[in-house]
Amino acid sequence: LHLEDEHGVYFVKSRRSTLERFYTESVEEDSSEDVSKHPKKPFLLLHHGQSAKFDVIFKPTLAQRLEGRIRVSVGDVYSNKTQIELVGEGHKDEFTLDGLEEDRKERNAKSSLNKDIIDAVRVNSIQFGDCPVGKRCRRTFTITNHSCTKVMRFEWEADAPFKFSPKVGHLHPGCAKSIRVTLKSDVPATFRRHLVKCKVSQINFELPQGKVTDWDDRMRVVTWQDTTRKAPGARWPIKEKVVETVPEPDHTVVEGSSHEAEVYLSALVAYTQFKLNTSVVQLKDTLPFRTSTATFRIRNTGKVALQYSWVEVADSEESVKKPYSKTLMC
């Protein structure tokens, strides 16, 4: 493998299983190393049906698109058919979204339209996968403030059936927060790269930054307040628990600092459906302390995963429970 990298930002690392197939001397096809021959450059020997795995590492030093190439020589000849194009994009953002996924379907669609242009992979998607109607599906990612001095304010512009928590909050310098996205739909729906934007702004507090604690809209304060009601014979009124959202600290937005971050959400919401090939399971006559088994088939006919378990239903309150084997199946 020959790595062509003008900026020195790409690295190729072989897996442990691949290292076992590296040689530094000539070898016969069906024998071990032949030490009688002169050493050559290290090479990889793969017999029929064997494979090798490599990790390509990208460590950018510039905030720009960076390209490279891996050329593979078979024997002593380089071929244009055995070369791998490397494309990466370095960024230097003070506010980042971490723990998201790559949308492979979108990447393949773009590649088919622009075969001569290779785009860097955008890791800005959340794949919920299959979600049953009426049930909550959750995913989590992280937002990070990489600045050493600036305080960031974020606000997600999301509507039902998606819910971001926290939806509004502050990020102090060098801090990170986990964001939980919940999807709950009461009707079947398909979401394909549903765009949700996050407005990010730099802010200044009215008080010195060191005296302002972290804040987001999940924070609550609990107080006990007197009511007009009294218990019989009591001298003091009944107190009532009151839960309120902690107010956002006073601040001003730095002019010209606002920008948007984007997340794409994909999900399939549908009803679970299944079919049984029988409604009655007839077991054969069985001697005491012996075991008999009957088999039936359940088939998932819906578009989403089917989770199920078996529960015994008594015919009546007076029915006698008989011992049998019951296994939870999911």
Side-chain angles (χ1 to χ4, degrees):
L1 302 180
H2 177 66
L3 176 62
E4 297 178 0
D5 179 14
E6 179 182 352
H7 299 282
V9 295
Y10 291 101
F11 305 88
V12 179
K13 183 179 180 181
S14 57
R15 300 284 181 90
R16 181 182 296 272
S17 59
T18 302
L19 288 173
E20 298 174 355
R21 298 190 176 94
F22 266 109
Y23 296 89
T24 57
E25 297 182 353
S26 298
V27 295
E28 299 295 337
E29 183 177 355
D30 295 318
S31 66
S32 58
E33 293 185 8
D34 182 1
V35 296
S36 64
K37 295 187 177 182
H38 296 291
K40 300 170 61 178
K41 291 182 180 179
F43 65 95
L44 183 66
L45 178 63
L46 292 177
H47 294 286
H48 177 72
Q50 292 182 330
S51 62
K53 293 183 179 181
F54 298 87
D55 293 322
V56 180
I57 302 169
F58 178 52
K59 292 184 177 180
T61 57
L62 300 172
Q64 66 180 52
R65 174 190 170 97
L66 300 166
E67 298 181 1
R69 178 185 299 173
I70 297 176
R71 298 181 64 188
V72 183
S73 66
V74 181
D76 294 326
V77 180
Y78 286 107
S79 170
N80 291 332
K81 294 182 180 180
T82 52
Q83 66 180 19
I84 304 169
E85 300 291 337
L86 305 177
V87 178
E89 186 170 337
H91 67 85
K92 192 177 180 180
D93 298 331
E94 293 179 328
F95 180 89
T96 61
L97 311 177
D98 308 308
L100 299 178
E101 306 171 51
E102 170 194 354
D103 192 334
R104 295 185 180 274
K105 291 184 179 179
E106 180 68 14
R107 177 188 177 189
N108 294 336
K110 285 186 176 180
S111 298
S112 62
L113 294 175
N114 303 307
K115 294 183 179 180
D116 298 331
I117 302 176
I118 303 176
D119 292 329
V121 177
R122 301 290 182 180
V123 186
N124 58 359
S125 300
I126 296 178
Q127 306 289 337
F128 281 89
D130 300 339
C131 296
V133 172
K135 291 193 176 181
R136 290 181 174 85
C137 297
R138 297 182 176 91
R139 296 293 183 270
T140 303
F141 65 96
T142 304
I143 58 175
T144 306
N145 180 1
H146 297 277
S147 169
C148 298
T149 58
K150 301 175 183 177
V151 180
M152 302 290 183
R153 183 185 188 273
F154 63 90
E155 182 172 2
W156 294 97
E157 301 174 355
D159 298 321
F162 295 100
K163 180 181 178 182
F164 282 67
S165 179
K167 185 177 182 180
V168 185
H170 298 167
L171 268 183
H172 284 246
C175 294
K177 278 190 178 183
S178 292
I179 304 295
R180 185 176 66 182
V181 188
T182 303
L183 166 62
K184 182 178 181 293
S185 176
D186 294 328
V187 295
T190 299
F191 299 94
R192 179 71 188 133
R193 290 184 62 80
H194 177 78
L195 175 61
V196 175
K197 295 182 179 181
C198 178
K199 184 178 180 181
V200 183
S201 305
Q202 180 186 344
I203 61 174
N204 291 327
F205 293 121
E206 300 295 333
L207 297 175
Q209 183 176 319
K211 294 185 178 181
V212 181
T213 59
D214 185 34
W215 178 87
D216 60 54
D217 61 356
R218 298 172 301 179
M219 297 180 177
R220 302 287 186 269
V221 59
V222 178
T223 58
W224 293 89
Q225 299 180 1
D226 292 337
T227 65
T228 57
R229 305 188 307 275
K230 286 186 179 181
R235 298 176 56 187
W236 310 105
I238 297 175
K239 290 186 177 293
E240 186 176 57
K241 182 179 179 180
V242 178
V243 181
E244 297 177 327
T245 302
V246 175
E248 182 175 5
D250 294 333
H251 65 275
T252 57
V253 177
V254 177
E255 186 177 354
S257 67
S258 298
H259 65 280
E260 292 180 337
E262 296 181 346
V263 174
Y264 292 90
L265 310 177
S266 298
L268 172 63
V269 184
Y271 288 106
T272 54
Q273 298 175 344
F274 68 94
K275 267 188 178 180
L276 290 171
N277 64 348
T278 184
S279 58
V280 177
V281 177
Q282 184 66 47
L283 295 170
K284 296 180 179 179
D285 294 341
T286 308
L287 294 174
F289 306 107
R290 297 292 181 90
T291 301
S292 63
T293 303
T295 302
F296 64 94
R297 185 181 298 274
I298 180 172
R299 185 162 63 95
N300 182 0
T301 58
K303 296 181 179 179
V304 298
L306 173 66
Q307 295 184 353
Y308 63 93
S309 61
W310 299 106
V311 180
E312 178 186 14
V313 179
D315 293 335
S316 64
E317 295 182 359
E318 292 79 16
S319 63
V320 179
K321 292 186 177 181
K322 299 180 180 180
Y324 69 102
S325 176
K326 181 174 67 174
T327 306
L328 179 64
M329 305 175 68
C330 295

